Amino acid sequence: MAVLCKPAIAVPEYIITRDDTLELARQLHYDHLQLKKVIRLIEHTGVVRRHLIQPIDKVLEHPGFEARSAVYEEESKARVPDVVRRALDQAELEARDIDLIVYVSCTGFMMPALTAWLINTMGFRSETRQIPIAQLGCAAGGAAINRAHDFCRAYPDANVLLVACEFCSLCYQPTDLEVGSLLSNGLFGDAVAAAVVRGKGGTGVRLERNGSYLIPNTEDWISYAIRSTGFHFQLDKRVPGTMEPLAPALRAVAEQQHWNAGDLDFYIVHAGGPRILDDLCRFLEVPPEAFRFSRATLTEYGNIASAVVLDALARMFDEASARDGQRGLLAGFGPGITAEMALGTWSSGPAGEG
């Protein structure tokens, strides 16, 4: 069975705190008719600080889409390799052992994808398959895990590398003044994450089942408008309420495994904001402590898009509280509105054992 090993995470060196964000909002939007509402929403995100790949004054400049695309390529090539090496080390594998790379990112675009550059520069075999995923947004972290699981079911001896590279600060648009856009300016952060799914052996979450669910007629609730200035994030005010229709989908996937989604040992879910986690507690009937890893990610890094589930999972590894056979749920939520869900059990078998 495929095992999702410990993820590696890196956040960039430039930090912006919640107080910094609130002060910027007051300075930049002092005449905004809904400034008080924006301030209140940012104050209640639960985000204490975020990490950025550039100083905040550089982020605010917005030199144009072409210049931002160049920054995305330069920064991804500078930051991804170290995270990949650490993920491989934690899975006790080498680059040549990887059969597929799943690369997810919704904050920049390259063609060929960064997977080609990684294969050429890091010792991966030329036969390594590539799956770049660019349009699933925050749900892509869950999708990467699920596509790796599918691949390992088709090729039981295979190993898959997952990479999430999200530079959300490159999507800042100074002319977007809707409340949802201003809220996102205080919510999203930058991060790189990677993890390995081993077809055999390894310590981590043994993947048992996966599924996907799309809430009908919500495709315009989270979206990008693509203009000459780049990606313009659009967030509908109904998005925070999406856990009510998604909770039954989570329960249905668990029931397929003869599990109760409200009675599991661990939960690793995308932390889009505090209400997402609060509502999941209510609709799944689990205590707030169940989502402590996701809450910690949100507090310390903000919403780091597709990298959230990997960072939250790494925090569970660090806590070292999981025991063999314990059951859990992993889920990413994003545009569509889409949920990518996985079920797994903890396995502490040493690397090399089947």
Short mmCIF file of all heavy atoms in Angstrom, two decimals, residues 133 263 341:
data_model
loop_
_atom_site.label_atom_id
_atom_site.label_comp_id
_atom_site.label_asym_id
_atom_site.label_seq_id
_atom_site.Cartn_x
_atom_site.Cartn_y
_atom_site.Cartn_z
N ILE A 133 -0.21 20.39 -12.19
CA ILE A 133 -1.60 20.77 -11.95
C ILE A 133 -1.64 22.25 -11.61
O ILE A 133 -1.05 22.68 -10.62
CB ILE A 133 -2.22 19.95 -10.80
CG1 ILE A 133 -2.18 18.45 -11.13
CG2 ILE A 133 -3.66 20.39 -10.53
CD1 ILE A 133 -2.67 17.55 -10.00
N ASP A 263 -15.54 10.20 13.70
CA ASP A 263 -14.89 9.42 14.75
C ASP A 263 -13.56 8.87 14.27
O ASP A 263 -13.30 7.67 14.30
CB ASP A 263 -15.82 8.27 15.19
CG ASP A 263 -15.28 7.50 16.39
OD1 ASP A 263 -14.55 8.11 17.19
OD2 ASP A 263 -15.59 6.29 16.51
N MET A 341 -10.41 14.45 -1.36
CA MET A 341 -10.42 13.80 -0.05
C MET A 341 -9.66 12.48 -0.10
O MET A 341 -9.69 11.77 -1.10
CB MET A 341 -11.87 13.53 0.35
CG MET A 341 -12.75 14.77 0.34
SD MET A 341 -14.53 14.41 0.28
CE MET A 341 -14.72 13.92 -1.45
#
